[in-house]
Amino acid sequence: MLVDQLLLLARFENQKQNIVPESIYLNALILDILTLYSDKINAKKLHIKFKAEEDYYIHSDTYLIMIILRNIISNAINYTNAEGDITILLSKENNKTICLIKDNGIGIDQEDLETVFNPFYRSRSSEHPEIKGTGLGLSIVKRISELLHVKFKITSEIGEGTTVVLNFGENMKTL
Ligand SMILES: Nc1ncnc2c1ncn2[C@@H]1O[C@H](COP(=O)(O)OP(=O)(O)OP(=O)(O)O)[C@@H](O)[C@H]1O
Ligand SMILES: [Mg+2]
């Protein structure tokens, strides 16, 4: 996994990577990702709420959008204690498609909210040695979000949890 992530990061280092835009059905993509992590979700007895009032489609690169959502959702799963709650909400605001991923996990220090996007940076990792990771996920998410013009916001509070908001925009057909 580390090698995969490093290769991916290297691919984005300089040039525009081939983006293959197509219609993506977000509702199904999110369910696929949750299925991918079902063992861990069950083992930790996490309560997952997935709310989507309608069918949400965006026009973008399926593979890259998958990488973004997988990293954010896997963080929510990893950094939330047993029996914690994770909410995933798809919605539209001003015609823009929004995906919110909220957990009630360990949270991130205010002063680390920028640094967590640096490659290999792991916040307070000595305080949670049982949670494994390489610190590459969010740096890749940041790269890809810039490339695909996905707006990305992360807010967090220690002991309260973390909320990530992805704004996929109104119409990504311009890619
Ligand atoms: N939902 C979250 N709750 C609490 N801390 C988080 C959350 N998401 C990210 N973090 C913090 O940000 C750091 C960086 O996250 P990132 O996804 O880049 O790396 P990682 O999860 O440590 O490793 P990996 O490369 O396997 O994803 C994490 O080590 C963790 O400290
Ligand atoms: Mg991660």
Side-chain angles (χ1 to χ4, degrees):
M1 192 58 189
L2 173 60
V3 175
D4 285 355
Q5 303 246 71
L6 279 172
L7 281 174
L8 196 65
L9 205 58
R11 271 173 60 191
F12 292 117
E13 204 53 63
N14 301 308
Q15 78 282 43
K16 268 209 161 189
Q17 195 51 44
N18 346 333
I19 300 171
V20 187
E22 57 188 349
S23 178
I24 305 174
Y25 181 33
L26 282 180
N27 304 51
L29 189 66
I30 288 168
L31 286 176
D32 284 349
I33 296 169
L34 290 174
T35 307
L36 211 63
Y37 292 115
S38 58
D39 285 352
K40 191 143 200 190
I41 291 167
N42 292 335
K44 289 180 84 169
K45 296 194 168 72
L46 299 173
H47 309 288
I48 311 272
K49 270 188 225 139
F50 176 34
K51 296 186 206 165
E53 283 190 346
E54 46 183 278
D55 292 336
Y56 295 90
Y57 291 88
I58 56 169
H59 196 78
S60 192
D61 186 295
T62 307
Y63 173 67
L64 297 177
I65 292 290
M66 176 86 173
I67 289 171
I68 294 180
L69 287 169
R70 262 179 70 168
N71 272 300
I72 303 299
I73 292 172
S74 81
N75 281 347
I77 292 169
N78 285 337
Y79 298 101
T80 298
N81 301 319
E83 297 187 39
D85 300 308
I86 295 173
T87 302
I88 301 174
L89 178 66
L90 282 173
S91 65
K92 264 201 171 145
E93 276 168 37
N94 306 321
N95 244 358
K96 298 180 168 72
T97 307
I98 312 279
C99 180
L100 176 148
I101 298 125
K102 179 182 160 72
D103 66 60
N104 69 347
I106 65 172
I108 305 170
D109 259 331
Q110 294 306 304
E111 57 188 30
D112 279 349
L113 278 178
E114 302 269 325
T115 337
V116 285
F117 292 101
N118 295 347
F120 299 112
Y121 187 79
R122 304 194 68 228
S123 177
R124 297 184 301 143
S125 55
S126 56
E127 289 170 38
H128 45 81
E130 72 289 356
I131 309 176
K132 307 287 180 217
T134 57
L136 282 175
L138 287 179
S139 60
I140 290 169
V141 166
K142 191 179 175 203
R143 254 341 125 79
I144 297 177
S145 304
E146 284 165 5
L147 199 70
L148 298 181
H149 309 296
V150 173
K151 288 202 194 92
F152 183 95
K153 228 171 36 191
I154 177 161
T155 51
S156 191
E157 205 147 323
I158 290 291
E160 295 290 322
T162 301
T163 302
V164 175
V165 179
L166 295 166
N167 183 332
F168 295 105
E170 198 168 321
N171 183 353
M172 306 201 30
K173 284 192 174 119
T174 48
L175 271 177

